[in-house]
Amino acid sequence: MISNNPYLQEVNMQLGNISNALAIEANGRNIAVTFPNLEWAFNITLRNVSEISMPSLAAVNGSLGFYSNFFESVNAPNLTTVGQSLSFVSNQKLNNASFPQLTSVGGGLQIANNTNIEKIDGFPKLQTVGGALDFYGNFSDVALPSLMDVRGAFNLQSSKDLTNTCNHFQPLSGQNNVIKGTYSCSGGESTPGGSGTLPSGTNSGSGTSGSTTSSSASTAVTITGATGLLGVVAAIFGML
């Protein structure tokens, strides 16, 4: 973990892989994170980051999560698989998420409460979601042209009109269809909510079908209170 370094403005690591869980959070508000050569990672969590670049990332065995960041765009042009969950939550400036080669997410795919995202269309090759697909926010369109298998719940809720989007996905729902779990799609909501809530915002209490994914135990790198990048890099290299 790289955290609580208020003067840290840049993390630039020439790593090829990350075999432990890496979390970067609560550092300088304008921190830029760059992994130019990173191809494989076990687990990555980013919070309170202003810029992120990972052009070579091809696979994440565990989970990849973006929470409460400040960047407007996040791109992973070569990422093809995420073994567990992929999450984008409460990134208030985010208006674009582009993962053009991503084909499979082993766990859940969540895009939630990113108020500037108006259209979700950055996953053109996504075929399989092993857990729930859970999108809620202010978007008016969702395009997943290659989607073939969602094994958990499917939830789309937005403050905008989703008539066309819901009309597209509803015929794909059903136990032996593309969307195998509980299906929910609703636009014009005053308080869009996540999977397990009714469009009215009250908890549905209903179960969802689909596979259950397990989480592997992980050992995190912890670096707190550091003010220099050399200490960060040295500690990370020591763990690999």
Side-chain angles (χ1 to χ4, degrees), residues 8 38 89 126 168-169 179 200 207:
L8 185 63
L38 182 64
V89 179
L126 181 64
H168 170 76
F169 285 109
I179 300 167
S200 63

Side-chain angles (χ1 to χ4, degrees), residues 54-69:
M54 44 188 181
S56 303
L57 185 63
V60 176
N61 277 22
S63 296
L64 176 60
F66 305 91
Y67 305 93
S68 301
N69 293 291

Side-chain angles (χ1 to χ4, degrees), residues 38 52-60 64 66 73-82 86 88 96-103 122-124:
L38 182 64
I52 175 63
S53 176
M54 44 188 181
S56 303
L57 185 63
V60 176
L64 176 60
F66 305 91
S73 179
V74 56
N75 306 293
N78 290 300
L79 183 64
T80 60
T81 60
V82 175
L86 174 59
F88 308 81
N96 177 60
S98 179
F99 290 66
Q101 301 300 322
L102 184 66
T103 61
F123 307 89

